[in-house]
Amino acid sequence: MDIHSLGYVRLESTVVDEWRTFAHDVLGAVVTDTPGGGLHIRLDERPMRIAIVPGSRDRLIGSGFEVRDGATLAAAVAELQAAGVAVKEGSAEEADDRKVERFVAFDDPNGNPVEIFFSPVVDGDDAQLPFGGGFLTGALGMGHVVLPSADIEAAFDFYTQVMGFRHRDSMAVKFPNGMTVRLRFLGCNPRHHTIALTQTPSEQGMRHFMLEADSIKTFGRTFARAREAGVLKTELGQHSNDEVLSFYLFCPGGFELEYGVHGRHVDDSTWLTRDLTALSYWGYWPVTKPAA
């Protein structure tokens, strides 16, 4: 299977209005209301990279991975079915809501909802982001997702052997409580990883997703807005795997977002997979809010 990139994420939310404010005021994205009472969040030339769907829970309802064309999608479906995966064809109305020509949906071995699509809508307009700057997308996709995987080896086999992701790095992180958590980092384009698998559970069905700024200036201004809004989870830091300079922030409904800049690009012809023991080179100190 030939996956190009992460094209979008779809999030069910109980606090749609909070997402509208957060996406515009903190992320500096363009927000559009949808007929069903949800939101489309725009980062670049595509009208939708993040969909917020009103519902009774706050959870990930779809990670959308892009393929080249209809023939590639058909081949992907055949490979999934050969592997015993139940695949559901999206309706024309559902595809229109995702701003794509066609998509299919299925669950990975740990029950994480996955979609594969081709031919996204591109309207030719600049994003007109409210604070200027931009997001690093294009050939790298919108960023990455970190998916909870209680059976991490089953997930690893599925994403590498069935979906064709390439193993970039692994990591075993020991936390202060003595628990050691295993992670796997998987890529499909020059971005170091498009998927990370973790044994750590998540009530939202996603540990976090990541967006990358186009410049250090854009990055710094977003950090300042997040600090002013009181939504920072961590201070700045630098991870040991993709070497991205980043920070984490709280999103509405309990979701978390990593916002980074200058992430590592991988050349698969020379890359050697590593088993890392340090999550970061430095930083990511928790933000301590002042006492009320």
Side-chain angles (χ1 to χ4, degrees):
M1 194 179 302
D2 187 11
I3 301 293
H4 176 273
S5 61
L6 176 66
Y8 58 77
V9 294
R10 291 172 51 80
L11 308 176
E12 181 180 350
S13 176
T14 62
V15 286
V16 174
D17 287 340
E18 290 181 26
W19 266 105
R20 181 184 291 105
T21 301
F22 173 84
H24 180 279
D25 294 356
V26 178
L27 296 184
V30 176
V31 185
T32 303
D33 292 296
T34 63
L39 305 173
H40 281 171
I41 298 173
R42 179 176 187 149
L43 310 178
D44 54 15
E45 75 280 359
R46 300 188 185 187
M48 188 276 289
R49 286 289 195 175
I50 304 168
I52 307 299
V53 180
S56 59
R57 295 174 56 190
D58 292 282
R59 59 172 180 151
L60 175 70
I61 55 174
S63 300
F65 297 101
E66 184 171 0
V67 297
R68 180 185 301 275
D69 51 28
T72 310
L73 181 62
V77 170
E79 292 179 59
L80 288 165
Q81 292 175 335
V85 178
V87 181
K88 178 186 176 183
E89 178 84 24
S91 69
E93 181 180 2
E94 291 170 328
D96 182 64
D97 182 58
R98 288 157 176 77
K99 301 297 182 183
V100 302
E101 184 171 333
R102 183 180 163 217
F103 79 99
V104 297
F106 53 93
D107 289 343
D108 78 4
N110 285 277
N112 296 306
V114 180
E115 299 179 1
I116 301 178
F117 72 93
F118 77 95
S119 193
V121 169
V122 177
D123 60 19
D125 294 334
D126 293 332
Q128 300 294 326
L129 302 179
F131 304 107
F135 295 86
L136 189 62
T137 55
L140 302 176
M142 68 164 281
H144 72 235
V145 290
V146 180
L147 301 177
S149 303
D151 189 341
I152 194 169
E153 295 311 315
F156 177 77
D157 290 345
F158 174 76
Y159 282 106
T160 56
Q161 297 177 19
V162 179
M163 291 192 66
F165 281 83
R166 295 179 285 281
H167 181 200
R168 295 277 166 75
D169 283 320
S170 298
M171 188 180 293
V173 180
K174 188 171 183 177
F175 290 92
N177 62 6
M179 181 175 65
T180 298
V181 174
R182 190 73 168 156
L183 298 101
R184 299 281 202 175
F185 300 94
L186 312 175
C188 60
N189 57 50
R191 193 187 295 278
H192 176 272
H193 59 280
T194 293
I195 293 178
L197 305 172
T198 175
Q199 294 172 303
T200 309
S202 167
E203 292 183 6
Q204 287 75 34
M206 177 177 64
R207 290 300 302 174
H208 72 257
F209 67 106
M210 180 266 198
L211 303 177
E212 189 169 353
D214 65 344
S215 69
I216 194 69
K217 181 170 70 174
T218 302
F219 173 83
R221 287 175 170 172
T222 303
F223 180 78
R225 293 195 302 271
R227 177 182 288 280
E228 180 67 22
V231 296
L232 284 179
K233 178 185 179 182
T234 73
E235 298 288 354
L236 302 180
Q238 186 179 28
H239 283 306
S240 60
N241 54 358
D242 59 4
E243 298 193 343
V244 69
L245 175 66
S246 65
F247 60 92
Y248 289 81
L249 56 161
F250 294 111
C251 304
F255 294 99
E256 295 181 10
L257 168 68
E258 180 184 7
Y259 188 89
V261 70
H262 297 329
R264 164 182 264 159
H265 292 177
V266 170
D267 178 353
D268 280 309
S269 68
T270 59
W271 184 259
L272 297 175
T273 302
R274 304 163 302 168
D275 199 0
L276 304 168
T277 59
L279 179 63
S280 60
Y281 293 137
W282 59 272
Y284 300 115
W285 302 286
V287 171
T288 302
K289 296 184 178 180

